[in-house]
Amino acid sequence: MSEDTVVVWDESLLAYDLGDHPLDPVRVELTIALARELGVLQRPGVRLVRPWPADDALLSRVHDPRYLDAVRMAPREPFFAGFGLGTSDNPVFDRMHESSALIAGATVAAAEAVWWGRARRAVNVAGGLHHAMADRAAGFCVYNDPAVAIARLLDLGAERIAYVDVDVHHGDGVQQIFWDDPRVLTISLHETPLALFPGTGFPDETGGPGAEGTAVNIPLPPGVEDSGWQRAFHAIVPSVLRAFRPQLLFTQCGADAHRSDPLADLHLSVDGQRATYLALRALADELCDGRWVATGGGGYALVEVVPRAWTHLLAVATGAPLDPATLTPQAWRALAAQRRPGFDVPLRMTDDIDPGYEPWQPTGEPNPVDRAIAATRKAVFPLLGLDPHDPRD
């Protein structure tokens, strides 16, 4: 296996542009610019790969062909409605099919590079559109690129793919698409569906017939900070992954669990997000011989958070993590100020938060995070042969 890291990138990925909308492609542009200015993309062993659009054969592994036709047709029909398109969340935009297919193709290229041994790790920060369903758009997502890429891996012979979603919103589309497939484990940490879109992702959602235990949901109460989030992650994710024994780890790394994100209510820091990426890499190294595919996802603090979080992700995927105290380069600050006038441009790659945590124990007076941990462990651990009450599991 190659020790290289593939970063799938081309400026054409910025064409996934919903207009005056929270999902602004400037966040991806500023991520790549920051990673370049800090030398992350110039590291030895990093290969930039241009994406190609996923064709209909690939897309229809996940999406209904009638839905593909609707996505193509919608920009030509001024009063188009249906399939989740033409809403405030998913407005129709010019060349919507082409831009969405390119995002999907970029994630497939990342997955194929790792599966075929051309790279140990691969990243597509423009991907992670995890809400799209088989027959409709949802939550800013037209085509579900993680699901398309995972389906491609299954077609190539993969028998156990683990998908870990750390976006603040439940990874509902990926879960639903693989609900009945025991070859795909989906794990999602997210803000409780009682408070946030899409309203799914409860602990008792554990997989369909024949795939029981392959959907794992960890809904967290609003206001959770790094320590609680890390406590929940480490109380569940490593144990479940070890029980499943994946051949490849696929992660959706939405940055919208940050305390500054305008669309949600968790209170993570960039430092906590960096710690999560390090934990995910370590799990891929332990369980999958390092095979790790990472995408972006949500994240709507376009200047203050997303470029720093995903530059940390790129650094972790390509080698040594960046020192949190690293200054953001002056040239990048100028670009950010030009692209988004009036926004606060961060001076450093840290929020000055210690993301340490106390490991979970099944004793003592449970707080809201511990209750969430206990509910998920109770729902899914027995299905995987694990003891929900044993902190060693």
Side-chain angles (χ1 to χ4, degrees):
M1 175 190 293
S2 171
E3 291 297 310
D4 290 356
T5 301
V6 159
V7 176
V8 184
W9 173 246
D10 185 77
E11 288 191 358
S12 57
L13 290 167
L14 300 176
Y16 191 88
D17 188 346
L18 304 176
D20 184 14
H21 190 278
L23 192 81
D24 192 318
V26 72
R27 68 204 185 114
V28 178
E29 178 190 10
L30 292 177
T31 295
I32 296 296
L34 181 56
R36 278 203 173 113
E37 287 291 333
L38 290 173
V40 171
L41 301 184
Q42 296 89 332
R43 290 174 167 179
V46 176
R47 291 188 289 119
L48 268 64
V49 172
R50 294 185 62 184
W52 40 264
D55 61 19
D56 280 13
L58 267 177
L59 294 171
S60 61
R61 281 287 286 108
V62 164
H63 292 292
D64 188 321
R66 294 170 297 177
Y67 175 56
L68 304 184
D69 292 341
V71 174
R72 282 192 173 92
M73 179 178 65
R76 303 194 296 269
E77 298 287 339
F79 302 108
F80 183 89
F83 297 92
L85 300 168
T87 66
S88 58
D89 273 4
N90 290 93
V92 172
F93 61 97
D94 189 42
R95 294 184 59 81
M96 181 167 58
H97 167 77
E98 291 78 5
S99 300
S100 305
L102 188 64
I103 297 281
T107 303
V108 170
E112 287 183 344
V114 173
W115 183 254
W116 283 331
R118 297 172 183 165
R120 194 176 188 206
R121 307 174 187 126
V123 184
N124 172 25
V125 292
L129 303 178
H130 60 165
H131 292 307
M133 296 292 178
D135 59 355
R136 69 183 188 278
F140 313 163
C141 307
V142 177
Y143 295 146
N144 195 315
D145 62 286
V148 172
I150 292 170
R152 173 61 174 158
L153 292 173
L154 297 177
D155 289 346
L156 292 174
E159 297 174 344
R160 295 181 310 281
I161 300 295
Y163 169 84
V164 179
D165 190 315
V166 298
D167 195 285
V168 77
H169 301 90
H170 177 225
D172 57 336
V174 182
Q175 174 182 287
Q176 183 62 35
I177 288 164
F178 297 109
W179 182 250
D180 297 318
D181 195 329
R183 298 172 296 175
V184 181
L185 171 72
T186 63
I187 306 174
S188 179
L189 292 91
H190 46 267
E191 186 174 342
T192 173
L194 295 174
L196 192 67
F197 175 90
T200 56
F202 291 97
D204 62 358
E205 298 171 31
T206 58
E212 296 89 347
T214 60
V216 180
N217 288 289
I218 312 162
L220 297 170
V224 167
E225 299 180 344
D226 290 319
S227 58
W229 200 97
Q230 293 291 332
R231 182 177 173 97
F233 178 97
H234 288 280
I236 295 169
V237 176
S239 296
V240 169
L241 288 177
R242 289 170 185 143
F244 186 72
R245 298 180 297 108
Q247 297 164 291
L248 180 147
L249 180 63
F250 192 114
T251 64
Q252 197 270 20
C253 298
D256 43 5
H258 192 276
R259 64 192 183 191
S260 297
D261 196 273
L263 299 189
D265 301 294
L266 297 190
H267 289 175
L268 273 62
S269 69
V270 166
D271 306 274
Q273 292 170 322
R274 174 181 177 274
T276 300
Y277 307 148
L278 287 167
L280 291 168
R281 185 180 76 177
L283 288 164
D285 288 346
E286 174 191 344
L287 300 170
C288 311
D289 196 25
R291 288 184 288 269
W292 179 26
V293 178
T295 68
Y300 310 99
L302 306 172
V303 174
E304 311 96 300
V305 176
V306 178
R308 290 188 298 154
W310 289 350
T311 295
H312 279 304
L313 172 64
L314 286 164
V316 169
T318 58
L322 290 170
D323 184 337
T326 299
L327 295 174
T328 56
Q330 181 58 46
W332 180 81
R333 292 181 215 162
L335 176 65
Q338 177 189 1
R339 291 288 189 268
R340 302 295 291 187
F343 278 62
D344 291 332
V345 179
L347 301 180
R348 295 191 300 154
M349 295 293 291
T350 180
D351 289 332
D352 290 314
I353 300 293
D354 178 358
Y357 67 98
E358 289 292 328
W360 174 80
Q361 294 289 336
T363 57
E365 184 66 27
N367 58 36
V369 170
D370 284 351
R371 284 194 287 271
I373 292 170
T376 298
R377 289 175 66 104
K378 180 180 178 181
V380 78
F381 271 38
L383 299 173
L384 298 172
L386 301 172
D387 184 344
H389 306 295
D390 189 341
R392 296 170 297 179
D393 276 358

